[in-house]
Amino acid sequence: MPIPSGAPAAAPRVPEAVHRRRWAILAVLMFSLLIVVLDNSILNVAVKTIASPAPTGIGATQSELEWAINSYTLVFAGLLFTAGLLGDRIGRKKVLLFGILVFGLGSALAAMSDSPVQLIVWRALMGFGAAFVMPATLAVLMNVFEREEQPKAIGIWAGGVGLGIAIGPITGGLLLEHFWWGSIFLVNVPVVVVALVAMIILVPDSRDPKPGRLDPLGVLLSIVGLILLVYGIIRGGELADFTDTTVLVSLIGGLAVLAAFVWHEKRSSHPAIDITYFRKPAFSAAVAAIALVFFALMGVTFFSAFYLQSVRGYTALQSGLLVLPLAVSQMVFSPRARLVVDRFGARAVCTVGMLLVAAGLAAFALFDADTPVWVMCLVFFVQGTGMAHIMPPVTVAVMQALPREKAGSGSAINNTFRQVGAALGIAVLGSVLSTVYRGDIEKHLGGLPAAARDAAGESIEATLAVAAKLGPERGAPLVGAAHDAFIGAMHVAALGSAVVALIGALVVGMFLPGKPSATRETTGPDDSSGEPEGSGESDRQSASARG
């Protein structure tokens, strides 16, 4: 797989004992990663149940439900970078164990919540734990696989992320059909216990042998800047108005603090992150591609859930099963993406992948209330195939641009851009959806009282709730109008998502490296280290003999 120019010299070979169990270690890392990613998507199918009065739910309002989701995202995104730095400094295994333990504790407490406020607090605790898990899994991976095997391992890792996003709704639907709403969180606890035991036994510890001095100001600026930026994005989406004073203050404040962070890092003798990496076009294009693809994907995931359940009338489980083709395509193609990249180069593969994602998103602009199921499945499969040929190459480009001892920092950059892109996609495209929907549905609410008219215009769920109270005869026209208004709004948001994906295609097409020349393929960047070919294997054999 092509490596960005200026890539660091070859890292020391992985110890033989670790090399032998590398695939078992990857399985443990995937297990840990899966529950964190899965939990982020599993809550979406439970919002209706949680909003129901006790004992079915806890009577959460629309705003409380949004913050049950957003409190996790806010803490998670704000601490990702810091968690990656801590892993490099004190040891990735320690950070991973700490994160998964906190995540499990937060899951148990969230399951036992008896009020929306408690649920919001415990979800924030889960986000705190998840922030230490996500970057550590990728950092450990980079330190147990040799450079030539890293693309394959990262492909499997990326497939796991896609799998978690896709099977979350299926798992949630199954649990809600048989158990109470808290089961979607409690199910994490036994998984966490198994993961902790497996980590202690199998996963080796690693850290930066020369971490240098601490950069507390840089760490503080990164946390404050990211939290302000993500809060502004979330708040703007919640209000469907990015000109609101609180939104602008948060966004401008967050960008200003992050600008101060960059300024400080460029002038610090001991920076938390070397900003010069962003001067490499391939590195910057890779992190931009990560943000753009998740902006587009999470935005469409957000409105497709309402389309499938509120317009098409599918259950949570049925909706989850319809997204299964996206998971299958990622599981099949992500681990094999390196083979296509080896043949055609990262630039061509990622550009085509982005175009596939854009085509899948644009297809939603053609969906209506009667679109055949097989067409929807085909679109999800195309989207998954596109993502499977984007995420592994760009993740490899980011991770292999940094020295192995800085793997935590590289993973943190990778995941921070993805999380900010996802939050921005949900907020911006959610705002577009809400604004267009409200503008269309308001002309059908004229006969309602003022309070009911305001409530019904908030979302399709709110409109359908008002229609249900009106009864079958009076409510039926409003239901039809709500479906039509939502589909029209979805078409606009889908085209917006597709445009973002096309911008991503342009970025990777211009700046990612192409297919390496025959000379470079023969010699390779690692040959500059002067290490004799095959010495790593002979070293392992010698170490094994000594052992």
Side-chain angles (χ1 to χ4, degrees):
M1 181 169 290
I3 298 162
S5 59
R13 289 286 179 169
V14 176
E16 169 63 18
V18 174
H19 179 76
R20 281 199 304 261
R21 63 177 190 267
R22 64 196 185 284
W23 296 110
I25 293 169
L26 180 59
V28 175
L29 296 177
M30 293 297 301
F31 200 55
S32 308
L33 177 69
L34 195 59
I35 59 170
V36 171
V37 177
L38 185 147
D39 187 81
N40 228 353
S41 60
I42 199 173
L43 183 60
N44 292 330
V45 301
V47 290
K48 285 186 178 181
T49 306
I50 295 172
S52 303
T56 303
I58 51 176
T61 64
Q62 181 71 21
S63 177
E64 289 167 337
L65 285 172
E66 288 174 358
W67 276 107
I69 297 171
N70 293 336
S71 62
Y72 181 101
T73 303
L74 191 63
V75 176
F76 182 56
L79 291 177
L80 271 171
F81 182 71
T82 302
L85 293 176
L86 284 174
D88 286 344
R89 179 169 290 274
I90 67 175
R92 289 129 193 165
K93 181 176 181 177
K94 296 183 184 69
V95 165
L96 186 55
L97 288 170
F98 170 76
I100 201 73
L101 184 62
V102 171
F103 183 84
L105 176 63
S107 298
L109 292 170
M112 302 303 171
S113 301
D114 55 18
S115 72
V117 173
Q118 287 184 11
L119 180 60
I120 292 169
V121 170
W122 301 135
R123 284 280 296 166
L125 182 63
M126 292 171 68
F128 181 86
F132 288 83
V133 174
M134 180 73 92
T137 58
L138 189 52
V140 171
L141 181 155
M142 297 299 291
N143 280 272
V144 299
F145 284 90
E146 301 290 8
R147 191 178 184 87
E148 59 270 15
E149 281 192 321
Q150 286 170 1
K152 181 179 181 181
I154 287 174
I156 296 172
W157 183 90
V161 174
L163 178 64
I165 292 171
I167 69 172
I170 300 173
T171 307
L174 284 169
L175 289 170
L176 292 173
E177 281 195 358
H178 298 93
F179 305 101
W180 98 112
W181 69 268
S183 63
I184 66 171
F185 300 116
L186 196 61
V187 72
N188 293 333
V189 175
V191 179
V192 164
V193 172
V194 173
L196 283 171
V197 173
M199 281 180 209
I200 292 170
I201 296 172
L202 289 171
V203 176
D205 204 1
S206 62
R207 69 180 76 186
D208 185 348
K210 297 178 181 178
R213 292 164 54 196
L214 283 170
D215 180 21
L217 179 58
V219 169
L220 180 63
L221 288 172
S222 72
I223 294 173
V224 173
L226 284 169
I227 287 179
L228 282 174
L229 178 63
V230 175
Y231 175 80
I233 292 169
I234 290 171
R235 185 63 177 160
E238 188 179 32
L239 297 175
D241 181 10
F242 281 85
T243 62
D244 181 82
T245 303
T246 59
V247 175
L248 288 175
V249 168
S250 296
L251 290 174
I252 294 172
L255 291 172
V257 174
L258 289 175
F261 167 74
V262 173
W263 181 87
H264 169 73
E265 295 300 290
K266 289 174 70 175
R267 285 157 181 78
S268 175
S269 60
H270 51 285
I273 180 67
D274 189 349
I275 299 298
T276 59
Y277 284 114
F278 286 92
R279 294 176 183 170
K280 301 176 183 178
F283 183 87
S284 295
V287 294
I290 290 168
L292 289 169
V293 74
F294 271 86
F295 179 105
L297 181 75
M298 295 309 294
V300 77
T301 300
F302 175 76
F303 63 68
S304 66
F306 289 99
Y307 167 71
L308 292 173
Q309 294 186 49
S310 301
V311 176
R312 301 299 296 265
Y314 295 122
T315 65
L317 178 57
Q318 289 170 332
S319 299
L321 290 172
L322 283 173
V323 186
L324 197 57
L326 188 145
V328 171
S329 58
Q330 292 209 54
M331 288 175 61
V332 171
F333 295 117
S334 287
R336 294 168 174 80
R338 75 193 190 285
L339 303 175
V340 187
V341 172
D342 288 342
R343 181 168 182 178
F344 299 104
R347 180 189 303 159
V349 172
C350 290
T351 301
V352 172
M354 277 288 192
L355 292 174
L356 285 175
V357 170
L361 295 170
F364 273 87
L366 304 176
F367 285 7
D368 56 31
D370 301 311
T371 299
V373 169
W374 70 266
V375 173
M376 292 187 286
C377 290
L378 179 61
V379 168
F380 283 124
F381 185 84
V382 169
Q383 285 180 325
T385 302
M387 281 199 68
H389 289 88
I390 299 167
M391 296 312 297
V394 296
T395 303
V396 169
V398 171
M399 297 304 296
Q400 290 194 345
L402 277 69
R404 180 177 280 168
E405 59 268 20
K406 301 293 184 184
S409 301
S411 179
I413 292 170
N414 176 78
N415 288 296
T416 299
F417 272 81
R418 180 175 62 190
Q419 197 63 33
V420 171
L424 197 59
I426 292 172
V428 173
L429 295 174
S431 297
V432 170
L433 187 76
S434 177
T435 302
V436 176
Y437 177 80
R438 180 182 282 274
D440 197 3
I441 197 64
E442 279 184 346
K443 56 191 173 190
H444 300 281
L445 305 176
L448 297 176
R453 188 164 58 249
D454 289 340
E458 286 184 2
S459 65
I460 184 172
E461 284 299 314
T463 308
L464 295 177
V466 170
K469 292 178 182 178
L470 294 175
E473 187 173 341
R474 292 184 58 201
L478 187 57
V479 169
H483 288 173
D484 292 340
F486 182 85
I487 290 173
M490 182 183 74
H491 290 169
V492 175
L495 291 175
S497 300
V499 169
V500 171
L502 288 174
I503 294 172
L506 183 64
V507 169
V508 298
M510 290 176 64
F511 298 110
L512 276 189
K515 184 179 180 182
S517 64
T519 303
R520 186 167 178 176
E521 284 178 339
T522 303
T523 58
D526 286 355
D527 290 352
S528 62
S529 65
E531 183 179 48
E533 185 178 354
S535 63
E537 187 59 37
S538 62
D539 288 347
R540 287 201 192 94
Q541 291 172 357
S542 299
S544 179
R546 288 194 300 269

